[in-house]
Amino acid sequence: MLYLIGVGFKPGDITVEGLEIAGRCDEVYFESYTSIYDKPALRKVVGFKELSREQVEDGSFVQRAKDRDVALLVPGDPLVATTHISIFVSARNADVPVKVIHAPSIYSAVAETGLHIYKFGKTTTIPTHKKDYRPTSFLETIRNNLEIGAHTLVLLDIGMSLSTGCEMLGELGEIDVVALHLGTETRIAYGPPHNVSKLNFEQPCCIVVPADLHFTEEEFLNLYKV
């Protein structure tokens, strides 16, 4: 059997069930290319062999799950990233049974901002800009969400700093943003991008562009205003 086990944002997020299953599996793997994770701390909790992106996409570990128990440890929740959905489908198509063990993900943790989950629209990502590659589709997604009164969860490309992310949102004009850092310590900041960008938030972090606020959302965010 193949087990897709979520490990959340930090080793303490893995569930008791996830630990128990990983402990009795014949092979335990970990992929970290979809997120930043404290791997040394995780090794103290459960042993694993790290897989590269190519090895994950190759899927050879899925075939080995036909005659043994194999676990893939996944940052956050296993089925949030499309990569892991593809693994699930590949396993089922190969007649390999799959079990998913869930854990916290950004889509649940973003509620720590006090924003109402049901008011979020389409999620977008700010990719790292290069000399000949400067996509702006993320700005269009945010504008579309704002038009319907929906908040936008903005993910930052791996390695992108909070200050760079805030700078990229400059074309939206006069807006406020919410920065959320997740990990061993949760940090929240709310205010204009030029104020939020001065804060030293390490990854993993994300930005939320809120639409019109309900008074309860505003009351909560004012606790973290900068």
Side-chain angles (χ1 to χ4, degrees), residues 1 19 39 53 64 68 78 99 108 126 133 142 149 201-202 208:
M1 176 175 279
L19 278 176
K39 289 175 284 188
R53 178 170 188 165
R64 292 197 293 277
R68 68 195 72 183
K99 183 172 183 178
S108 56
I126 301 179
Y133 179 69
I142 296 171
F201 276 27
E202 298 178 353
V208 178

Side-chain angles (χ1 to χ4, degrees), residues 6-7 89 99 114 118 133 155 175:
V7 293
V89 172
K99 183 172 183 178
Y118 59 82
Y133 179 69
L155 305 177
I175 61 168

Side-chain angles (χ1 to χ4, degrees), residues 4-200:
L4 300 178
I5 302 176
V7 293
F9 305 107
K10 56 186 184 300
D13 290 340
I14 188 171
T15 64
V16 173
E17 182 184 16
L19 278 176
E20 188 275 327
I21 290 174
R24 61 177 169 79
C25 278
D26 302 298
E27 301 176 15
V28 180
Y29 300 100
F30 178 76
E31 70 82 4
S32 61
Y33 72 86
T34 56
S35 180
I36 293 176
Y37 202 92
D38 188 346
K39 289 175 284 188
L42 182 61
R43 286 190 188 278
K44 295 179 181 179
V45 176
V46 58
F48 61 83
K49 177 182 178 181
E50 188 172 2
L51 297 181
S52 66
R53 178 170 188 165
E54 291 73 20
Q55 289 173 315
V56 172
E57 293 178 347
D58 171 70
S60 57
F61 64 95
V62 174
Q63 296 300 319
R64 292 197 293 277
K66 284 187 173 182
D67 57 8
R68 68 195 72 183
D69 287 333
V70 176
L72 179 66
L73 307 180
V74 179
D77 187 86
L79 297 185
V80 168
T82 54
T83 296
H84 309 118
I85 292 177
S86 297
I87 292 171
F88 186 101
V89 172
S90 296
R92 292 296 296 271
N93 286 340
D95 294 325
V96 174
V98 188
K99 183 172 183 178
V100 177
I101 311 298
H102 295 283
S105 79
I106 184 57
Y107 286 100
S108 56
V110 73
E112 284 204 56
T113 62
L115 296 170
H116 300 169
I117 287 295
Y118 59 82
K119 287 178 60 179
F120 277 78
K122 184 178 179 181
T123 299
T124 191
T125 299
I126 301 179
T128 300
H129 285 196
K130 300 178 182 178
K131 185 177 181 180
D132 57 348
Y133 179 69
R134 298 184 63 83
T136 58
S137 58
F138 64 94
L139 295 172
E140 190 64 25
T141 297
I142 296 171
R143 292 190 182 103
N144 290 340
N145 283 341
L146 289 173
E147 286 180 3
I148 62 173
H151 308 317
T152 307
L153 172 59
V154 182
L155 305 177
L156 305 182
D157 209 351
I158 292 179
M160 181 178 291
S161 66
L162 174 60
S163 59
T164 299
C166 287
E167 180 184 348
M168 297 293 188
L169 297 175
E171 293 186 37
L172 293 172
E174 296 296 322
I175 61 168
D176 285 330
V177 299
V178 184
L180 176 64
H181 166 74
L182 299 165
T184 55
E185 177 188 5
T186 298
R187 298 178 65 189
I188 301 170
Y190 168 61
H194 64 271
N195 286 351
V196 172
S197 66
K198 298 174 183 177
L199 302 176
N200 184 26

